[in-house]
Amino acid sequence: MGIKNIIRKITRNSSKQNVKADYIQVSYFNFSEGAIPMWGPRRYRETTPKQKRLNEKKAKRYFEALVEANFKGNRDFVAHPTFSDDKYPESEEVARKVVKNWIGRINYRRRKLGMENCKYIIVFEMSPKGRMHFHVLMDGGLPREIIEDTWQHGYCNCDRLKSDPKIGLSKIISYLSKGQEDEKNTKRWVPSKGLIKPWVSCSKNTKISRKRYNKLRAIPEDSEFFRETIERDNPGYELQSVEKTICAETGQLYLFCRMRLKAGGIIAQNGRTGN
C-alpha cells in the first residue's frame, strides 16, 4: 500500500462529551497515511527553549478551552483578592492555603443557602515587583458583595465576567493565561472539582482539498477565502482567529483556528445560541 497524504483535522470542544460546543479549537495539518513512524523512545535531560515555548502554548490553549467550557459572560465572576501589608503571607505555599480557605468560606455560605460548592479556577500570579496576588474565576451563584466581604486578608474586587459578541471571554483569558508555568514548572492555575473538561474529536475526512489547503499557505489569515474555507468545513461556526505555522524542518502547514457557534448570525452574549 502506498503512502497517501491527507489533511487531518482535530477539534477540541468546550462542552460536555458529545454536546455541541459554543466554542471550539480546530487544528489542521498534513498527515501521511501509511507512513512508517520515524520516532521512538527518547530521553530528555531538560526542556529546550523551543519545547518549553510549545508546552506553554499548549497549556494556554487548554486553559482557554477550559474557561470557555465552564464560565459565561454576564453570569459568572472574576475576583481579584490582594493581600494587605500586615497580612501578607510569608510564602506562596501559605498564600495558596489562604486562598483555598477563602473558597471554603464561600462554599460554607453557599451550602447555608442550599447551593452546591462553587466551580472555580484559581490563577496565581507574581507582580514585576515580586508581590503575590491571585485571580479567581467562579460561577455566579452568590452576590458579588458576599464574595468580596468573605476575603479577610486585604482588598478584593469581584466583577461580573464580560463576554464580547465576537471573541467571547478572550480578553480576560489572555490576561489570566500569561505565565502559565513558573521556572520550577509549577502549574500557575488550579481548577476545582466538577469542571467540564474539553473533549477532542479527530477526523481525516474534511471538506478542504489538498490543493485548497496548500493555497492557504500564501493567503492572509484575515482574507475572505481563508474564512470561507474554514467555516465551510465547520458548518454553523464562525471563525474568530487563525494561527498559521509553517514547520521549519518539513515545510508543512499547520493551522490552529478558534471558532464560535453562530446564533442567527450573532454570537449570543451568554455563550448560548439563539432561536
Side-chain angles (χ1 to χ4, degrees), residues 201-224:
S201 57
C202 183
S203 173
K204 60 183 180 182
N205 297 314
T206 76
K207 297 178 182 178
I208 305 176
S209 65
R210 278 183 292 171
K211 181 179 180 180
R212 192 177 183 93
Y213 183 76
N214 290 330
K215 190 176 180 180
L216 296 177
R217 179 188 300 267
I219 293 179
E221 292 90 325
D222 59 353
S223 68
E224 182 65 19

Side-chain angles (χ1 to χ4, degrees), residues 164-176:
D164 184 272
K166 293 291 184 182
I167 61 174
L169 300 174
S170 293
K171 289 185 178 180
I172 187 65
I173 290 172
S174 178
Y175 175 71
L176 297 179

Side-chain angles (χ1 to χ4, degrees), residues 189-257:
W189 53 274
V190 177
S192 67
K193 295 180 180 179
L195 292 183
I196 297 170
K197 295 183 178 180
W199 57 280
V200 172
S201 57
C202 183
S203 173
K204 60 183 180 182
N205 297 314
T206 76
K207 297 178 182 178
I208 305 176
S209 65
R210 278 183 292 171
K211 181 179 180 180
R212 192 177 183 93
Y213 183 76
N214 290 330
K215 190 176 180 180
L216 296 177
R217 179 188 300 267
I219 293 179
E221 292 90 325
D222 59 353
S223 68
E224 182 65 19
F225 181 87
F226 218 114
R227 182 194 63 77
E228 181 183 297
T229 299
I230 302 301
E231 289 187 358
R232 187 172 64 175
D233 194 49
N234 299 275
Y237 284 91
E238 183 176 49
L239 183 63
Q240 174 183 317
S241 66
V242 179
E243 294 178 21
K244 181 168 63 174
T245 304
I246 298 177
C247 180
E249 288 81 9
T250 65
Q252 298 282 13
L253 174 64
Y254 173 82
L255 301 177
F256 177 79
C257 309

Side-chain angles (χ1 to χ4, degrees), residues 63 67 71 76-83 95-96 98-100 102-104 106-107 118-125 133-140 147 151 156-161 172 175-176 188-192:
F63 176 79
V67 171
F71 302 99
D76 299 323
F77 295 122
V78 57
H80 310 279
T82 59
F83 293 98
R96 288 172 180 256
V98 169
V99 175
K100 283 292 188 71
W102 171 55
I103 295 293
I106 290 174
N107 284 334
C118 72
K119 294 180 180 180
Y120 63 82
I121 298 178
I122 303 172
V123 181
F124 300 87
E125 187 176 352
H133 60 282
F134 307 86
H135 310 283
V136 183
L137 292 164
M138 65 175 67
D139 67 79
I147 295 172
W151 178 251
C156 178
N157 180 45
C158 181
D159 296 316
R160 188 79 65 177
L161 283 173
I172 187 65
Y175 175 71
L176 297 179
R188 304 303 297 172
W189 53 274
V190 177
S192 67

Side-chain angles (χ1 to χ4, degrees), residues 3 8 36 47 59 62 75 79 89 131 158 176 180 196 246 265:
I3 297 175
R8 177 62 61 89
I36 299 175
T47 302
Y62 181 81
R75 185 192 74 182
R131 193 173 182 86
C158 181
L176 297 179
Q180 287 289 354
I196 297 170
I246 298 177

Side-chain angles (χ1 to χ4, degrees), residues 36-54:
I36 299 175
M38 299 302 291
W39 60 83
R42 296 181 182 179
R43 293 182 181 180
Y44 296 94
R45 291 185 179 275
E46 63 180 355
T47 302
T48 64
K50 181 178 179 180
Q51 185 64 40
K52 183 178 180 180
R53 288 193 297 270
L54 180 60

